[in-house]
Amino acid sequence: MKNALWPNLFRGWNRTESETVYTLKQVPVFKDFSKKEFTELEKLVHHRTYASGDFVFKNRAPGEGMYIIMKGTIKITIGTRSGNEQVLAELEEGDFFGELALFDNEPRSANALAVADSELIGFFTADLLSLQDRNPQMTNKILMNLGGMLGERLRNTNNLLFEAQTKSNNDANTAD
Amino acid sequence: MPTQQTDYFQLIYRLLLGLISAGFLWIIWPYISNVVLILVFAFLFTTVLLSSVDALEKRIRSRGLSVLIVTIGVLSGIGIFIGSFISQLSAQASDFSSRVDPTTLTAEFKNLGERFITALPGFAANMIPSGGDFASTLSGFVETVVNNLASLAGAVGNFVLNAAMILIFTIILLAEYHGFRKSLVSYISNKYFEIGLRLIFNIEKSVSSYLRGQFLSAASVALMSVIGLGILNLSGANLTLIVFIGIIAGLANLIPLVGPFVGMVPAILIAFMNNIGNEVALSHLLFGAVPSPFFILDIILMFIIVQQIEGNLITPTLVGKSVGLHPMIVMIALIIGGTILGPLGMLFAVPATGVLKVIGQEIAFVRRNAHLL
């Protein structure tokens, strides 16, 4: 079994930036940010800690923004009753979720539950709007990156849909 | 039922806690009221100036420098306004005192009073007490002012100290506003974090849109008053300090309902001071029919027209329903604000009620979504 002591002991020993900036750099939403822009972003984001078993948010709750995992594990589920719960994803350090709330006023579409003690970075609509007044270039970058990500997801969904349709047509032809 | 019992206990506990907190606040209020007032002023100035600082930061990329430039700009503006106003007003006052001696003033007052009473219908004229000795009232007033000079100096000192404190707090808040907000929300528990963030954002939006609306309408009143007073001047009203009277009318307009009337006073006083002894101005008729000595009714009519244009045309177009409070609620808030803090309370009554309205709406929102938090 791999010993976690050494990687953890020397983790970030040659890193000049803070742990927050290090985590933010892994998120594609903040792609192409300069060092100065990351420092600016660091001042804006919120640090939150969640104990294992705490909900970050619940399905249908009003959503205000996105979270980036700095430490810990977050489980994304749908279905509220135990037994009826369906796990959509289990997210680790550097992953992010809830970014759709930055775009719309719609309620959350899934539950986010901490399955281990977790440290999250929150970035919310209010922060994005306040950044827009002071640094529109940065806001543009964030929105363009988010748009790019959503476009990529849409393309992937289209491909999956196309594959599913082709498969279903082939199955129908074989049956005939 | 045990749940019901628990609810009652919780209700009584909360009620007691609320009462104890209110009682404690009542006891310590005299000691903290000044600081609270300074903080409220600093917060309001910050809200007003924040968008300018943010916009400047967008251009020059330095928060500190933006705060410095905006602060210096605002202070210079206020300094130039007050300085030139005082110098022009003192010139006006010395001119007035050189032209008028007390005997003429008393005679003018008597003359004015008689003209007013004869112009009024019989029943209204009977309601005004006769034989008012204006000169003795005036000398009594001067005596009181001289006697109270020492306390006046103390009040001025206190005002300067408070103004300096407000300035310092405003500069700190402007420079650290976003960090300050971030540290404030960090105390909110995870469960209510997003909702708390939303509440703060909505309060900020409501207060800043209200204040921006107020300043826009004040600016429009000031501009229209200057134009109106200029037109009256052309028709022979002999008014001076037109720009200052306009700005004061605009500033007075910040106090809802009462402000517009307060704004008329300097114009009427200047008209009176400039035209005293002028027989043509004394016997002036509005529209050639209604007696309007010293153009007083002309001035009042002009301000009413300005108010109507501002209230019915400019504010609804430019500002819209910035706070969206019912006029009845505005009046009640003004009365309560005025009773607690005087004119300052009236100034803050509407934005404070607007904030309470936003908090109420958010509490209702949280209650609706409580099962989801």
Side-chain angles (χ1 to χ4, degrees):
Chain A
M1 204 176 114
K2 194 184 163 190
N3 192 344
L5 178 72
W6 295 108
N8 276 331
L9 201 62
F10 291 107
R11 184 175 151 191
W13 68 278
N14 59 349
R15 209 187 285 156
T16 49
E17 74 238 359
S18 69
E19 198 151 359
T20 309
V21 172
Y22 176 75
T23 312
L24 290 171
K25 275 186 174 175
Q26 298 173 55
V27 182
V29 179
F30 309 118
K31 195 176 72 184
D32 300 331
F33 266 36
S34 65
K35 200 176 168 185
K36 202 179 166 194
E37 284 172 332
F38 272 117
T39 315
E40 178 78 10
L41 188 66
E42 191 184 9
K43 284 187 210 159
L44 209 66
V45 295
H46 307 266
H47 286 260
R48 310 297 301 173
T49 50
Y50 294 82
S52 175
D54 279 358
F55 273 101
V56 181
F57 54 74
K58 287 182 187 167
N59 191 13
R60 311 299 304 157
E64 293 295 320
M66 68 182 285
Y67 292 91
I68 301 135
I69 305 170
M70 204 150 89
K71 274 176 199 155
T73 311
I74 300 291
K75 192 168 73 172
I76 307 292
T77 66
I78 47 169
T80 47
R81 291 188 205 109
S82 55
N84 190 23
E85 188 190 76
Q86 210 180 336
V87 179
L88 296 180
E90 222 170 78
L91 306 173
E92 301 282 342
E93 199 179 303
D95 290 333
F96 59 95
F97 57 96
E99 68 281 5
L100 279 181
L102 288 174
F103 275 120
D104 54 23
N105 281 324
E106 293 297 307
R108 299 285 189 190
S109 52
N111 303 304
L113 179 76
V115 285
D117 290 352
S118 306
E119 275 181 44
L120 306 184
I121 299 171
F123 181 62
F124 301 97
T125 316
D127 306 321
L128 188 69
L129 292 175
S130 98
L131 186 68
Q132 196 178 28
D133 292 336
R134 290 178 297 140
N135 198 334
Q137 286 95 331
M138 245 172 103
T139 317
N140 277 349
K141 273 188 192 176
I142 294 173
L143 292 176
M144 288 295 279
N145 289 337
L146 269 169
M149 277 168 44
L150 292 179
E152 199 181 314
R153 279 188 206 167
L154 187 65
R155 260 194 299 277
N156 289 341
T157 314
N158 283 343
N159 287 341
L160 286 173
L161 192 68
F162 179 71
E163 278 168 24
Q165 270 179 344
T166 317
K167 193 172 175 281
S168 135
N169 286 345
N170 288 345
D171 289 349
N173 288 340
T174 319
D176 289 340
Chain B
M1 248 162 68
T3 337
Q4 197 115 23
Q5 266 181 356
T6 324
D7 280 349
Y8 277 127
F9 275 128
Q10 205 174 42
L11 192 72
I12 292 165
Y13 171 72
R14 281 180 184 174
L15 206 68
L16 275 174
L17 205 68
L19 281 173
I20 291 167
S21 310
F24 182 66
L25 196 68
W26 182 265
I27 294 166
I28 62 163
W29 180 250
Y31 306 103
I32 60 162
S33 60
N34 206 26
V35 180
V36 172
L37 210 64
I38 286 171
L39 285 173
V40 168
F41 263 108
F43 174 72
L44 285 179
F45 283 126
T46 305
T47 317
V48 171
L49 299 176
L50 191 66
S51 51
S52 316
V53 172
D54 282 349
L56 200 62
E57 189 191 356
K58 191 162 77 179
R59 292 190 183 280
I60 61 173
R61 301 264 168 203
S62 165
R63 184 85 188 166
L65 201 61
S66 310
V67 172
L68 194 72
I69 292 171
V70 168
T71 313
I72 289 173
V74 170
L75 286 179
S76 315
I78 294 172
I80 291 167
F81 175 73
I82 293 176
S84 60
F85 181 65
I86 288 172
S87 68
Q88 291 206 34
L89 196 69
S90 61
Q92 180 91 30
S94 65
D95 174 55
F96 174 68
S97 58
S98 68
R99 276 195 297 113
V100 179
D101 64 307
T103 343
T104 324
L105 189 67
T106 316
E108 285 287 343
F109 266 124
K110 273 189 177 160
N111 198 357
L112 181 68
E114 277 161 16
R115 271 171 190 269
F116 257 125
I117 289 162
T118 46
L120 286 170
F123 71 92
N126 291 337
M127 286 163 76
I128 297 169
S130 57
D133 188 356
F134 287 107
S136 65
T137 316
L138 204 68
S139 66
F141 173 70
V142 170
E143 204 175 317
T144 320
V145 167
V146 171
N147 286 341
N148 289 332
L149 223 56
S151 63
L152 192 73
V156 168
N158 202 22
F159 174 78
V160 170
L161 184 74
N162 283 348
M165 293 307 285
I166 290 169
L167 177 70
I168 292 166
F169 279 125
T170 307
I171 291 172
I172 294 170
L173 271 175
L174 277 174
E176 296 291 328
Y177 186 79
H178 300 284
F180 176 73
R181 189 177 57 181
K182 189 179 153 179
S183 48
L184 190 75
V185 296
S186 70
Y187 293 106
I188 305 173
S189 71
N190 283 338
K191 190 176 175 183
Y192 298 105
F193 182 66
E194 288 196 23
I195 227 92
L197 207 65
R198 183 191 145 104
L199 174 69
I200 290 172
F201 181 68
N202 284 346
I203 289 175
E204 275 177 356
K205 213 164 65 173
S206 161
V207 173
S208 73
S209 85
Y210 172 77
L211 289 176
R212 210 172 301 134
Q214 285 293 297
F215 275 85
L216 270 174
S217 64
S220 67
V221 165
L223 188 71
M224 285 191 294
S225 303
V226 170
I227 294 169
L229 291 167
I231 293 167
L232 283 182
N233 220 3
L234 286 176
S235 59
N238 189 22
L239 289 164
T240 45
L241 301 172
I242 286 175
V243 176
F244 296 105
I245 298 171
I247 292 173
I248 290 169
L251 289 175
N253 198 61
L254 291 173
I255 303 174
L257 305 176
V258 189
F261 298 102
V262 177
M264 293 177 190
V265 175
I268 292 170
L269 278 176
I270 294 284
F272 176 71
M273 280 165 78
N274 283 359
N275 292 308
I276 202 151
N278 179 352
E279 199 51 43
V280 182
L282 190 65
S283 54
H284 171 72
L285 295 173
L286 173 64
F287 302 129
V290 187
S292 169
F294 306 121
F295 291 82
I296 289 172
L297 284 186
D298 300 54
I299 292 168
I300 293 172
L301 183 70
M302 187 277 291
F303 274 108
I304 289 172
I305 293 169
V306 166
Q307 288 303 323
Q308 291 307 311
I309 296 173
E310 185 267 328
N312 296 313
L313 211 74
I314 293 173
T315 304
T317 320
L318 285 180
V319 185
K321 284 186 172 179
S322 52
V323 178
L325 293 171
H326 192 275
M328 189 84 171
I329 303 287
V330 171
M331 272 169 79
I332 293 168
L334 281 174
I335 293 166
I336 295 172
T339 315
I340 298 171
L341 279 175
L344 276 181
M346 292 175 100
L347 195 67
F348 291 133
V350 179
T353 317
V355 168
L356 286 179
K357 189 189 166 193
V358 173
I359 293 173
Q361 281 171 342
E362 290 303 316
I363 288 172
F365 181 80
V366 171
R367 284 177 78 93
R368 272 200 310 275
N369 293 289
H371 64 290
L372 297 167
L373 298 175

